[in-house]
Amino acid sequence: MTMLKGVLFDFSGTLLRIEPAESWLRGALAATGTVMDDGALRDTAAALERAGALPGGAVPEVVPPELAGIWAERNREPRHHREVYTALARRVPLPSPALPEALYARHMRPEAWRPYPDAVEVLAELRGRGLRLGLLSNIGWDLRPVLRAHGLAPYLDCTVLSFEHRMQKPDPRLFAGACRELGLPPGEVLMVGDDRRADGGATAVGCRYLPVAPLPVDQRPDELRAVLDLLG
């Protein structure tokens, strides 16, 4: 078997996870000066989550037909990403018309993201072993400030974002391009991610794939260490 010399990581649900919906809503309420009592806040957060309005959170229980087109394209075009998530938020009764945009802005802030407990440790160990490391994400906005804020950016040799290439995983071209940015052939690269369809598409170009579970950070303390075990 070919020796692995590089690792590509997914972002959401792999290295970091978005904050819970209640915390997300609290942040947007504070930003807009809007007040809700605790019961209403909990109910509204749950409704927003069911609607799929939290990027990085649960997908919509039902994608409204009028949003199906931009939902499918959201990670290729920033305008569509913002449009679809704010539209989903507007389907929930909210106490201020400013909240859909505030909620969208909140999810891009570093404090809205929580790295998994072993993320920095595993990246540092891999870098210490001399491996090339990259991030490959289906996303509609620039997540690099989040990576810098949480101390992950220094370990990455490349950051490949779907919207910058107008294509998204599992498109084989995106994996092939990420491998080129690592400077390695796909057969020497491992893809780590929580979505077996999107991230697992790396195998189509010859990468190996290691799945992880997109659990809350307090329920997944050390799953990324499986990468170290796999590499020996």
Side-chain angles (χ1 to χ4, degrees):
M1 183 177 294
T2 303
M3 179 181 295
L4 292 170
K5 297 180 181 178
V7 184
L8 290 168
F9 290 92
D10 176 48
F11 173 68
S12 175
T14 299
L15 288 178
L16 302 96
R17 183 175 166 92
I18 192 67
E19 66 186 330
E22 287 187 27
S23 173
W24 170 59
L25 177 55
R26 286 185 191 279
L29 291 170
T32 58
T34 306
V35 177
M36 296 182 76
D37 65 53
D38 286 345
L41 187 150
R42 286 192 297 271
D43 290 346
T44 301
L48 286 165
E49 193 159 26
R50 289 193 300 273
L54 174 56
V59 299
E61 291 183 350
V62 178
V63 177
E66 67 273 18
L67 298 178
I70 58 172
W71 174 261
E73 297 290 324
R74 70 193 185 283
N75 292 317
R76 297 189 180 101
E77 170 56 62
R79 175 172 55 88
H80 289 164
H81 196 272
R82 177 183 293 274
E83 183 179 350
V84 75
Y85 281 108
T86 55
L88 289 168
R90 290 188 183 97
R91 296 179 67 84
V92 176
L94 297 171
S96 167
L99 276 171
E101 289 291 344
L103 287 164
Y104 188 83
R106 168 71 188 186
H107 103 274
M108 295 187 289
R109 296 185 61 82
E111 57 265 34
W113 291 89
R114 302 174 181 181
Y116 283 97
D118 54 347
V120 170
E121 171 196 355
V122 168
L123 292 179
E125 175 66 21
L126 292 170
R127 173 54 65 86
R129 296 184 187 186
L131 276 80
R132 301 277 295 171
L133 304 178
L135 182 139
L136 174 53
S137 177
N138 278 352
I139 200 159
W141 52 277
D142 188 356
L143 53 75
R144 293 177 182 89
V146 176
L147 298 174
R148 290 194 292 268
H150 289 290
L152 302 179
Y155 301 105
L156 300 174
D157 297 294
C158 68
T159 301
V160 180
L161 308 180
S162 61
F163 80 92
E164 293 181 335
H165 298 271
R166 295 297 190 269
M167 63 182 76
Q168 62 191 37
K169 298 176 288 186
D171 192 319
R173 296 173 296 172
L174 197 58
F175 294 109
C179 292
R180 284 195 298 271
E181 292 205 29
L182 281 182
L184 295 170
E188 296 178 357
V189 175
L190 173 69
M191 178 73 212
V192 181
D194 65 293
D195 188 322
R196 291 178 182 268
R197 177 181 176 274
D199 300 313
T203 59
V205 298
C207 297
R208 294 178 66 185
Y209 169 57
L210 179 68
V212 293
L215 297 171
V217 292
D218 59 350
Q219 296 177 29
R220 211 195 79 188
D222 57 6
E223 190 170 354
L224 288 171
R225 292 191 61 82
V227 179
L228 304 179
D229 297 337
L230 179 64
L231 295 173

